[in-house]
Structures are given as structure tokens and as C-alpha cells.
């Protein structure tokens, strides 16, 4: 069993708590980075699907740009949709 073989005495050393804190911080940062990336990918995918649907309906590029921009609101920069690179993407 993996837990039985882990050297639990590492937490009883003076460096035990800082090691756990560092591992927790890096784990949190990795999870946060992955979730932000997934949100941006999902936003870009929905934008692309909307643009492809509008193209299929026969909209011109100006109409598509106007339609996509009309649905956007100013959002904080950490959120995937609403601002940043997707705002000025080529149609």
C-alpha cells in the first residue's frame, strides 16, 4: 500500500510545514492555470461556433463583427470571454 510506505516522519522535521505549504501553493497555482486555460478554450470555441453559424446564414464580415461585439460586455481580464485576444480575433 502506498500510504503505508510513505515516510510520514518528514512532517515531524522543522522543514515539514514549509514543504507542505510549498507543495500546496504549487498545486493551487497549477489547478488555477489549468482552469483559466480551459475557460479560454471554451470561450474561443463558442465564439468560433457563433461565427461559423453566422457565416452559414449569409452574414457579411461587418455584420458578424457587429453581432459578436454587441454580445460582449467588459469583463475582468482573468475571465475567458469579454475582453482580450478574442475581441480582436480575425473573423
Amino acid at each position: 500500500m502506498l500510504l503505508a510506505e510513505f515516510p510520514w516522519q518528514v512532517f515531524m522535521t522543522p522543514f515539514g510545514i514549509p514543504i507542505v505549504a510549498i507543495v500546496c501553493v504549487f498545486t493551487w497555482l497549477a489547478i488555477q492555470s489549468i482552469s483559466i486555460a480551459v475557460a479560454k478554450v471554451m470561450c474561443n470555441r463558442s465564439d468560433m461556433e457563433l461565427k461559423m453559424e453566422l457565416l452559414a446564414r449569409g452574414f457579411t464580415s461587418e455584420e458578424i463583427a457587429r453581432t459578436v461585439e454587441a454580445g460582449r460586455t467588459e469583463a475582468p481580464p482573468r475571465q475567458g470571454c469579454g475582453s482580450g485576444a478574442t475581441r480582436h480575433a480575425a473573423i
Side-chain angles (χ1 to χ4, degrees), residues 8-84:
W8 294 102
Q9 293 82 13
V10 72
F11 299 117
M12 299 303 158
T13 65
F15 301 110
I17 293 174
I19 289 172
V20 170
I22 290 170
V23 168
C24 289
V25 165
F26 280 115
T27 303
W28 177 72
L29 289 173
I31 291 171
Q32 183 182 17
S33 298
I34 291 169
S35 65
I36 289 171
V38 167
K40 286 182 180 181
V41 166
M42 291 176 62
C43 178
N44 289 338
R45 182 180 296 162
S46 66
D47 276 356
M48 190 58 60
E49 289 174 358
L50 173 65
K51 290 174 185 177
M52 294 298 286
E53 183 180 335
L54 293 176
L55 273 175
R57 289 184 183 182
F59 281 49
T60 64
S61 60
E62 292 83 21
E63 292 172 332
I64 292 173
R66 198 172 346 124
T67 304
V68 171
E69 289 294 322
R72 294 234 169 95
T73 59
E74 287 298 323
R78 297 196 95 176
Q79 293 181 357
C81 295
S83 63

